[in-house]
Amino acid sequence: MTLRSVIRGSGSALPARAVSNAEMATMVDTTDEWIVERTGIRNRHIAGEGETTATLATEACRKAIEAAGIDAASIDLIVLGTCSPDQTFPATATIVQNALGCRGGIAFDVAAVCSGFLYAFATADALLRTGAAKRALVIGAETMSRLLDWDDRTTCVLFGDGAGAVVLEAVDVDESDPMAPGILATRLHADGAHGDLLHMDGGPSTTGSIGKLRMKGREVFRHAVVNLAAVLEEVLVASGYKADDIDWVVPHQANARILDATARKLGLPEEKVIITVDRHANTSAASVPLAFDTAVRDGRIKPGDLVMFEAMGGGFTWGASLVRV
Ligand code: ACO
């Protein structure tokens, strides 16, 4: 028997207000055609008054806890990926912990931008397998709308707000059973040499303000396709599976063209790729768990499926994880 981190349930949350491309075109010089053709995005949700990263995360966690059929008080680890925390500190994970009524366990945020959920997932997995905790909430939650320059059409049309969460539990499984559930292999990477291609132009320790999101989209795109294809291959080799064995790929939802190009490189049919970028836009760390929960709830992803998570974001940071759900 071996200790593995098993997904017990998932949940997600979106702000009430949906903003179409047509509405975006009333704010900046853009068109529905340009946004759909270049990105695949048709809609995004934007947080309103009273909706924050922590409130969205809490709602996603409540649904994940309900789906898992567990008591919130039994959660002893919360790892939250975000680049849009409610406050510089305390960590948004501790705000969520308090809102859920859990006490005394480990709770912290992870800053890896669009890879935030993958980094949080890998960190929680490691802590669960060493016995430091038994039951975790892993969250990706963002209010990207609060980081955007709403006069910059090259970035403001691309992002949205939302949250997704999974309950991960340390379970003893029979490793010789190929259908035994749990996280099978994960690989994470970072390359700080490209920080300037996607960054905030402010921060608490530099300007004393949060700044605005800046991106050189074309260069980010190029790196994303190469890095994602490489890390997916790495995870397949580490796990002993082939691309053909994968039932579903749940990618970071940045751009439909990145998703297509990455799937093509791996020789994966597009029907196996979960796509929500059309509805949610790029929700950074929230996008992978949001897409996962969407596909679980609409019945596509089922227990026993082999699912590949992958993401790349600012830093650069990137990673992938193969899971038997
Ligand atoms: N509406 C209309 N025109 C626009 C808009 C807009 N919203 N934004 C830019 N344009 C114009 C530009 O000004 C430019 O005009 P010009 O040729 O007259 O100078 C033209 O469109 C082309 O601009 P590019 O930036 O070269 O367009 P590109 O085809 O590269 O698409 C995009 C831009 C969508 C950002 C793309 O590069 C991309 O998706 N990159 C990936 C970045 C990303 O998704 N990052 C998210 C986080 S990182 C990650 O998740 C991987």
Side-chain angles (χ1 to χ4, degrees):
M1 300 295 271
T2 188
L3 204 55
R4 266 199 202 155
S5 307
V6 174
I7 297 179
R8 285 296 191 208
S10 65
S12 57
L14 290 163
R17 182 173 167 227
V19 177
S20 67
N21 288 349
E23 190 174 345
M24 291 302 303
T26 67
M27 302 181 213
V28 285
D29 180 16
T30 191
T31 60
D32 176 52
E33 295 73 36
W34 190 95
I35 301 172
V36 172
E37 189 195 311
R38 302 289 175 127
T39 70
I41 297 166
R42 294 177 185 276
N43 184 69
R44 74 283 292 140
H45 288 255
I46 301 293
E49 209 181 324
E51 288 175 320
T52 70
T53 295
T55 67
L56 293 168
T58 303
E59 188 186 332
C61 287
R62 290 210 170 102
K63 291 179 185 162
I65 287 167
E66 195 189 343
I70 58 159
D71 181 0
S74 67
I75 299 287
D76 54 4
L77 170 64
I78 301 178
V79 191
L80 185 149
T82 193
C83 64
S84 47
D86 278 29
Q87 296 156 244
T88 305
F89 73 84
T92 302
T94 63
I95 302 172
V96 172
Q97 185 204 41
N98 185 48
L100 293 174
C102 328
R103 283 248 145 68
I106 306 166
F108 60 98
D109 292 355
V110 167
V113 205
C114 300
S115 316
F117 178 78
L118 259 297
Y119 267 65
F121 197 61
T123 306
D125 177 34
L127 287 166
L128 290 173
R129 282 186 294 110
T130 58
K134 179 88 185 102
R135 208 172 249 174
L137 274 168
V138 184
I139 311 161
E142 304 279 16
T143 40
M144 295 305 286
S145 61
R146 304 212 163 118
L147 310 183
L148 296 173
D149 176 350
W150 285 94
D151 294 323
D152 175 9
R153 68 174 182 172
T154 69
T155 51
C156 75
V157 302
L158 303 175
F159 293 89
D161 302 334
V166 297
V167 172
L168 265 189
E169 188 170 274
V171 178
D172 261 324
V173 299
D174 175 2
E175 220 183 358
S176 65
D177 174 5
M179 294 307 287
I183 300 176
L184 304 173
T186 303
R187 291 292 182 273
L188 301 177
H189 296 284
D191 184 353
H194 302 296
D196 59 323
L197 297 181
L198 175 52
H199 69 285
M200 295 292 294
D201 65 4
S205 174
T206 49
T207 60
S209 61
I210 61 168
K212 301 278 186 215
L213 185 147
R214 306 291 172 206
M215 179 169 70
K216 297 200 174 96
R218 189 158 282 216
E219 278 126 290
V220 174
F221 190 107
R222 260 203 311 273
H223 283 277
V225 176
V226 174
N227 289 342
L228 288 172
V231 76
L232 289 172
E233 197 56 51
E234 229 185 304
V235 169
L236 285 174
V237 170
S239 66
Y241 281 96
K242 298 187 300 302
D244 278 356
D245 299 322
I246 298 173
D247 293 303
W248 299 103
V249 180
V250 183
H252 170 48
Q253 310 283 321
N255 181 314
R257 290 186 296 146
I258 296 180
L259 304 187
D260 291 346
T262 312
R264 255 200 318 276
K265 272 201 165 209
L266 274 179
L268 280 169
E270 52 188 74
E271 308 83 70
K272 287 190 170 187
V273 182
I274 304 295
I275 296 181
T276 53
V277 69
D278 52 333
R279 286 174 271 171
H280 304 154
N282 181 347
T283 57
S284 184
S287 87
V288 168
L290 241 173
F292 176 72
D293 185 54
T294 301
V296 167
R297 285 175 193 267
D298 69 22
R300 276 178 292 173
I301 297 180
K302 294 183 209 55
D305 283 352
L306 194 60
V307 178
M308 181 74 92
F309 295 123
E310 48 112 316
M312 157 145 173
F316 290 139
T317 56
W318 66 101
S321 184
L322 189 68
V323 185
R324 177 77 67 188
V325 293

